[in-house]
Amino acid sequence: MEFILEEIDGEIMVLRADGGLDASNAAAFIKTVESMASGGINRLIIDCSKLSHISSVGLGALLRLHTRVAKQGGEVKLCGVSGMPMQVLSMMRLDRVFGIYPDIDQARLAYAPPN
């Protein structure tokens, strides 16, 4: 799995997940996102459009990220989740924990303050 970081609007970071999230790379994923959270990033979008699979270890990594960012008053949103990863998230009811959006733009708009 490859992780690609990019910034949107200066306050929102996007982490593109390419491949799978499992025991082979969950530690690197956690290290990447924890360093972002330690740096004060509390608005994070994980682009899962190229995420092919996710294991129980990967789910644990996502939950750890969610907890860490929530403690800082932030929120993690997922976008582009489909196929087996979406089925797993739904089956584990994690679609109720994370905001899940069709694409990055809609996830970004969800951070906008209400009018």
Side-chain angles (χ1 to χ4, degrees), residues 14 45-49 77-81 99-104 107:
V14 174
I45 298 170
I46 301 176
D47 180 0
C48 300
S49 59
K77 298 184 185 305
L78 306 178
C79 72
V81 186
I100 301 178
Y101 300 88
D103 56 41
I104 291 173

Side-chain angles (χ1 to χ4, degrees), residues 6-55:
E6 67 180 61
E7 185 177 352
I8 298 177
D9 299 335
E11 296 179 2
I12 301 171
M13 293 298 291
V14 174
L15 180 61
R16 294 184 189 270
D18 192 358
L21 183 55
D22 53 31
S24 69
N25 57 20
F29 175 77
I30 290 169
K31 183 178 178 180
T32 299
V33 296
E34 284 188 344
S35 68
M36 292 171 59
S38 296
I41 300 299
N42 65 0
R43 292 179 171 191
L44 180 63
I45 298 170
I46 301 176
D47 180 0
C48 300
S49 59
K50 294 186 179 180
L51 185 66
S52 59
H53 65 279
I54 187 166
S55 72

Side-chain angles (χ1 to χ4, degrees), residues 37-96:
S38 296
I41 300 299
N42 65 0
R43 292 179 171 191
L44 180 63
I45 298 170
I46 301 176
D47 180 0
C48 300
S49 59
K50 294 186 179 180
L51 185 66
S52 59
H53 65 279
I54 187 166
S55 72
S56 60
V57 175
L59 292 173
L62 285 176
L63 285 170
R64 185 172 173 179
L65 168 63
H66 168 73
T67 302
R68 174 79 182 251
V69 173
K71 284 181 182 178
Q72 296 178 340
E75 188 178 0
V76 177
K77 298 184 185 305
L78 306 178
C79 72
V81 186
S82 62
M84 187 58 71
M86 187 63 201
Q87 290 177 6
V88 171
L89 288 169
S90 295
M91 184 173 56
M92 300 303 294
R93 297 184 181 228
L94 294 177
D95 54 341
R96 297 177 183 182

